[in-house]
Amino acid sequence: MHNQATARSLDNADDSLEIQPLYLRLLTLIERLHRQLLDVIKDELERVDQTDINAVQALLLYNIGDSELTAGELRTRGHYLGSNVSYNLKKLVEAGYISHERSERDRRSVRVSLTETGFAVRDKIDALFNRHLESLEKVGDVSSDMISGTNLTLDRLERFWADQIRYQL
């Protein structure tokens, strides 16, 4: 009995050693890909001469889309940092990309939605992503099956990390 438990423990240690470099590479890729996505958006904004907002703000406009949300909902939905969302929303309101209105039910809460100008930027980012979809498989060698598998993995990883926080694992 003791030998079986020891063997299982050694097997688990071997599995952990094998997965460690893969997990650490995944963490690096997640960080790098997010930064690179922002660079792609920044490049597109420069191409269409939209230089009055930055890539984070453009992505925020894209993520708001047709919705009317609070800053808290944006944080939950897009996983933005609190002060980052508040700062960028303030700048986007000042620039006329977002309208804001105090909630009727909770006067402390402010709901935001896109203005026509905000929708124009959202449409530019949507067009960029649609162009990517047209060449993703041919040029990027990325199939829908690969994306599905990646999405499944990332969804599970997101749930795992949320559980780490929620249950203090």
Side-chain angles (χ1 to χ4, degrees), residues 103-149:
S103 172
E104 290 294 322
R105 287 180 292 172
D106 180 359
R107 301 302 292 165
R108 297 169 297 171
S109 178
V110 175
R111 301 196 68 75
V112 299
S113 59
L114 301 186
T115 63
E116 281 188 41
T117 313
F119 275 113
V121 173
R122 191 235 181 262
D123 291 346
K124 290 174 186 176
I125 302 305
D126 189 53
L128 167 69
F129 292 161
N130 283 326
R131 275 197 328 270
H132 289 171
L133 287 172
E134 291 173 9
S135 63
L136 193 60
E137 192 160 5
K138 292 175 193 163
V139 177
D141 197 25
V142 177
S143 69
S144 60
D145 287 343
M146 293 168 74
I147 292 173
S148 292

Side-chain angles (χ1 to χ4, degrees), residues 26-100:
L26 177 66
L27 298 178
T28 300
L29 282 171
I30 290 169
E31 277 187 283
R32 196 174 359 173
L33 286 171
H34 179 67
R35 284 192 304 271
Q36 198 160 24
L37 172 62
L38 293 176
D39 286 344
V40 166
I41 292 170
K42 177 183 178 282
D43 183 60
E44 180 67 10
L45 292 173
E46 289 172 355
R47 271 189 215 161
V48 297
D49 204 29
Q50 183 85 47
T51 56
D52 57 332
I53 62 172
N54 64 40
V56 170
Q57 292 165 342
L59 191 56
L60 192 55
L61 293 172
Y62 179 81
N63 287 327
I64 292 170
D66 293 329
S67 302
E68 186 178 281
L69 304 165
T70 65
E73 290 168 330
L74 276 169
R75 280 189 295 274
T76 303
R77 195 187 241 206
H79 307 287
Y80 300 96
L81 298 176
S83 61
N84 188 12
V85 164
S86 298
Y87 170 81
N88 283 310
L89 285 177
K90 180 181 175 216
K91 291 295 187 187
L92 290 167
V93 166
E94 289 171 359
Y97 292 100
I98 288 182
S99 63
H100 66 294

